[in-house]
Amino acid sequence: MSSDIISFQEVFAILRRHVLKTILICTLGVGAGIGGYYLVPKKFKSRAVINIQAAYFQIPLVGDLVGGGSDSVENKAQRESLLRQALNNDFLDELGEKYKMFRYSTKDRRHMGERESLFNRIEYFGIGSNSYQISVSARYAELAYKLTEEVINQMIATLISERLNKLNRARVAIQSNIDALKVELAKGAISPQKPDHSALESLEVEQAKLTELEQKYTSQHPNVVQQRSRVDRLRSKHKTRDFLKNSHIDVGKLPPIDRDNSIAASQRALQDLHDDLFRRYNYLNIVSDMEKSPDHYPYVSILEQPAIPSAATFPKKPIFAIAGFALGFVISLLWMIFSELRRGTFASPTHISHILEAPFLGSLPPWISSSSTKKALPAPPPG
């Protein structure tokens, strides 16, 4: 007896019987895929690239007071935090209202879902140590371009504002120390001072907060970096006060010459500290005035301007056509199997006769009821 495995010739015969239906169904599938391409809403995406230099976090002459170092993972985390800070709820609400993207008012709970949907359309990710690609998707090409332009302007404005705030905080801290030194220098004579317990307590509280944050987050986390900067400023202030306190010695017990030398040395030390802080303060004023100019932001630059997209990012006609063809082929294959099962077998009666090595005598007629017209049995084949 021959093997009962279907041969390649039999498979080819089955495919030949259904080739026209297979071609027709696959063609219809491709047509349906292309039709779906025109029916599915389009999605356009406009993108831009901005660069935030490492110098953004550095302030010469006062860098030891306000923090900021070389470009590192810490600075990268601060960059991403600033970009996320720019996309606040107020900006998203203003953007959605401006371009009529919201259906519900801000008082409606469903408005939060619309705001979240708008936020998900905005993408930003690093493409290098300093550069970030920002893209926004929308149903229309021009709308995607306008949204991307708005997001870029908002991010740049936030970066500039945060740097100016950092400069201003450093300037205020230095100014307070300069004022304290002016009072001491104006006295001429050095008198004992009482320790400033409030400043020390404030430093201890901020240090405790920093310790708590370091236990929760990494050292590069923005909250940890900000709290560390605050502690450093308080510690610098406290050291200045300690210097002023420790500089007050009991000059009455010294000989006249030593007394004069001690007073002059203390005054010179105070004057040197005052001059150093005053120099830093003037430098901060110059930097702040330069960076307040709307056309001057040397630390933030746009490497690639947003543009109106020429083609939709979704859907893609070739992908939909291939998906339609694949679906049509699967349907045609299932139809082929179903049709062959209806025939009762995958092999012809002649082939079964050859496998069983027995002559083919005939086939039984279908069941005939008593009310049906009697039909004669088919005659057996000759031979």
Side-chain angles (χ1 to χ4, degrees):
M1 183 179 294
S2 303
S3 174
D4 56 353
I5 299 177
I6 300 177
S7 65
F8 176 77
Q9 290 80 4
E10 294 166 342
V11 174
F12 182 75
I14 294 173
L15 294 176
R16 187 174 58 184
R17 284 197 298 270
H18 300 278
V19 63
L20 294 179
K21 291 182 180 178
T22 300
I23 294 175
L24 178 61
I25 295 175
C26 289
T27 304
L28 292 175
V30 172
I34 295 176
Y37 163 79
Y38 289 102
L39 294 177
V40 171
K42 304 293 186 296
K43 184 171 72 172
F44 296 87
K45 181 180 291 187
S46 179
R47 67 173 182 269
V49 178
I50 64 173
N51 179 269
I52 308 173
Q53 300 179 15
Y56 173 86
F57 303 98
Q58 301 169 2
I59 305 177
L61 295 182
V62 294
D64 54 335
L65 299 180
V66 298
S70 60
D71 192 26
S72 60
V73 178
E74 178 180 343
N75 287 346
K76 185 176 182 180
Q78 292 187 52
R79 288 186 182 95
E80 295 177 358
S81 175
L82 290 170
L83 295 179
R84 178 61 184 89
Q85 181 180 338
L87 305 177
N88 52 64
N89 291 340
D90 293 337
F91 169 71
L92 294 175
D93 290 341
E94 181 182 351
L95 193 64
E97 293 294 337
K98 181 177 180 179
Y99 294 99
K100 296 179 171 45
M101 303 176 67
F102 293 158
R103 296 173 54 190
Y104 305 102
S105 64
T106 54
K107 298 180 180 179
D108 197 316
R109 297 182 61 182
R110 290 171 290 186
H111 176 76
M112 296 178 62
E114 292 180 325
R115 182 197 297 154
E116 185 69 20
S117 176
L118 176 58
F119 175 75
N120 291 333
R121 295 185 182 189
I122 305 172
E123 299 176 355
Y124 60 93
F125 55 88
I127 56 176
S129 58
N130 302 334
S131 301
Y132 287 84
Q133 177 176 300
I134 292 92
S135 59
V136 184
S137 58
R139 294 189 59 180
Y140 306 102
E142 187 174 356
L143 179 60
Y145 162 72
K146 291 182 178 179
L147 291 176
T148 305
E149 198 173 41
E150 295 277 0
V151 170
I152 289 293
N153 292 336
Q154 170 69 8
M155 286 182 171
I156 291 178
T158 301
L159 290 168
I160 295 174
S161 175
E162 287 300 313
R163 178 169 171 84
L164 291 176
N165 290 339
K166 185 177 183 180
L167 293 174
N168 187 58
R169 289 193 297 269
R171 184 168 55 180
V172 170
I174 294 176
Q175 178 65 52
S176 63
N177 283 271
I178 290 176
D179 293 340
L181 289 172
K182 283 182 179 179
V183 173
E184 295 300 323
L185 290 171
K187 290 180 180 179
I190 301 178
S191 59
Q193 287 186 344
K194 295 181 180 180
D196 189 354
H197 296 290
S198 61
L200 182 60
E201 292 175 357
S202 177
L203 176 60
E204 292 176 350
V205 171
E206 296 299 331
Q207 181 64 47
K209 291 181 180 179
L210 176 61
T211 304
E212 183 180 355
L213 288 174
E214 288 177 340
Q215 292 175 353
K216 293 182 180 179
Y217 308 107
T218 63
S219 60
Q220 290 83 21
H221 195 275
N223 292 344
V224 177
V225 173
Q226 184 178 4
Q227 183 64 22
R228 188 184 299 117
S229 177
R230 186 180 296 111
V231 171
D232 290 341
R233 289 197 302 270
L234 289 176
R235 186 177 289 116
S236 175
K237 230 191 233 187
H238 187 65
K239 286 181 179 179
T240 302
R241 291 191 177 96
D242 285 346
F243 174 79
L244 296 176
K245 179 185 68 175
N246 296 331
S247 297
H248 298 297
I249 58 178
D250 190 359
V251 296
K253 296 181 180 180
L254 295 176
I257 297 178
D258 293 339
R259 184 186 309 129
D260 295 339
N261 291 338
S262 176
I263 294 175
S266 299
Q267 289 292 97
R268 282 196 302 270
L270 288 175
Q271 188 65 49
D272 291 342
L273 181 59
H274 174 274
D275 294 343
D276 179 64
L277 291 178
F278 192 73
R279 180 171 59 92
R280 296 170 184 248
Y281 181 78
N282 287 334
Y283 179 81
L284 280 177
N285 286 334
I286 295 173
V287 173
S288 299
D289 292 339
M290 290 177 57
E291 298 189 9
K292 281 180 181 178
S293 174
D295 300 326
H296 181 83
Y297 41 93
Y299 310 116
V300 182
S301 58
I302 303 178
L303 301 183
E304 181 181 340
Q305 292 284 353
I308 299 178
S310 58
T313 56
F314 179 85
K316 298 289 187 182
K317 186 184 291 186
I319 295 178
F320 269 62
I322 294 174
F325 174 81
L327 181 61
F329 181 77
V330 171
I331 294 176
S332 64
L333 185 62
L334 294 176
W335 175 260
M336 189 186 307
I337 296 173
F338 177 72
S339 299
E340 290 298 323
L341 289 176
R342 286 189 60 187
R343 295 180 73 245
T345 178
F346 282 93
S348 64
T350 304
H351 182 65
I352 295 177
S353 175
H354 175 71
I355 294 175
L356 298 177
E357 298 178 354
F360 175 64
L361 300 178
S363 59
L364 294 175
W367 175 263
I368 303 175
S369 62
S370 58
S371 59
S372 304
T373 306
K374 296 182 178 181
K375 297 182 180 180
L377 293 176

